[in-house]
Amino acid sequence: MHRRMVNLTLDSLDEVPRRCRACVFWELSPLCAEAARDVGEPAAEKEAWLSHTLLEWGGCGRIAYEGEAVAGFVTYASPKFVPRSMEFPSGPVSPDAALLMTAYVAPAYAGTGLGRQLVQTVAADVARRGIYALETFGDARGEAGACLVPADFYRSVGFKTVRFDPRYPRLRLELRSAIDRSVEAEESMAPGDSVEWFKLDDVELEQFFGEPTTGRSRIDRPGTQRDGEIFD
């Protein structure tokens, strides 16, 4: 079945899972998020955040489709658009990095490599903007219902811990080599061609990230599931 990824926009926002659609964990400070929940308007606040970020920073999310079904999604932005990023003890995010906020893979698409492809798509996008790294806060304890991706998954796709925390370590993926590769690819391509970054095989992924793709950790093995969400 054909897999495709599209930009997260105001038109496609309703395609993300309902629980995520109304979640403003990343988009608002804790105080503002609590206020939004109290008045029953978190979905409207998420829409307002997306509109503002798209206008001021550009694309900040992707939705993956398998055929016509939503298989997963990912969100990311400059940390200045993500108030929650200032609340982590392992922060703040480095000034030369974009923040990968969260990623979700539907249970039906476990073991297909979609989690890895979502991260790679984000890396390619921010590298083309001249950003040197991706950083993220991982979930080190596998907390139920957490809005963070397990830290072990991020490590399995090339992220390195830059500041330890027993609950939420900050991890970083260097993109300098990715920038060089994207420039070389653009210069060598004929007009009208396009690079489908999310279709690279394991050997090409190793070249892109500069990390071996073998020896996955437990969380990156196909079928690893946590509270209805599967990352792979």
Side-chain angles (χ1 to χ4, degrees):
M1 189 175 293
H2 178 62
R3 178 176 293 169
R4 59 193 174 91
M5 293 197 189
V6 302
N7 292 329
L8 178 65
T9 66
L10 293 175
D11 291 330
S12 61
L13 180 58
D14 286 337
E15 295 288 300
V16 305
R18 181 176 298 178
R19 180 174 70 88
C20 302
R21 172 66 176 86
C23 176
V24 288
F25 174 86
W26 289 104
E27 292 84 357
L28 299 178
S29 67
L31 184 61
C32 291
E34 183 178 355
R37 288 190 294 269
D38 288 344
V39 299
E41 296 182 351
E45 293 290 346
K46 194 179 191 82
E47 185 174 318
W49 178 89
L50 178 60
S51 177
H52 174 69
T53 306
L54 287 170
L55 287 171
E56 297 294 327
W57 192 70
C60 54
R62 295 287 189 276
I63 299 178
Y65 290 85
E66 195 83 16
E68 297 302 314
V70 174
F73 77 96
V74 64
T75 56
Y76 55 100
S78 165
K80 71 179 183 178
F81 292 95
V82 189
R84 178 71 65 161
S85 67
M86 301 301 297
E87 303 296 326
F88 290 91
S90 59
V93 175
S94 303
D96 65 341
L99 174 64
L100 199 164
M101 297 156 62
T102 195
Y104 167 85
V105 173
Y109 303 97
T112 65
L114 179 56
R116 183 179 296 264
Q117 292 171 355
L118 286 167
V119 172
Q120 185 189 358
T121 301
V122 175
D125 181 36
V126 299
R128 284 193 292 267
R129 302 189 201 190
I131 297 172
Y132 288 106
L134 268 179
E135 291 191 0
T136 190
F137 297 98
D139 174 13
R141 296 186 177 181
E143 298 176 359
C147 293
L148 285 75
V149 174
D152 282 348
F153 167 75
Y154 284 131
R155 294 188 185 102
S156 76
V157 296
F159 282 81
K160 304 295 184 183
T161 301
V162 292
R163 187 168 183 183
F164 173 77
D165 182 79
R167 297 180 65 186
Y168 307 120
R170 178 161 54 94
L171 304 101
R172 181 178 173 96
L173 179 66
E174 297 290 346
L175 301 179
R176 291 179 184 273
S177 60
I179 296 170
D180 295 338
R181 291 180 185 279
S182 66
V183 171
E184 292 173 1
E186 289 176 1
E187 291 176 349
S188 63
M189 284 164 47
D193 290 345
S194 63
V195 176
E196 294 183 289
W197 294 89
F198 54 91
K199 290 186 177 180
L200 302 182
D201 59 28
D202 279 349
V203 174
E204 291 170 312
L205 282 167
E206 181 176 343
Q207 294 173 345
F208 183 86
F209 288 120
E211 292 290 328
T213 55
T214 57
R216 293 184 178 184
S217 60
R218 177 188 61 77
I219 196 67
D220 195 39
R221 290 208 301 265
T224 301
Q225 183 169 347
R226 176 170 68 81
D227 200 37
E229 299 183 11
I230 300 176
F231 300 93
D232 183 55

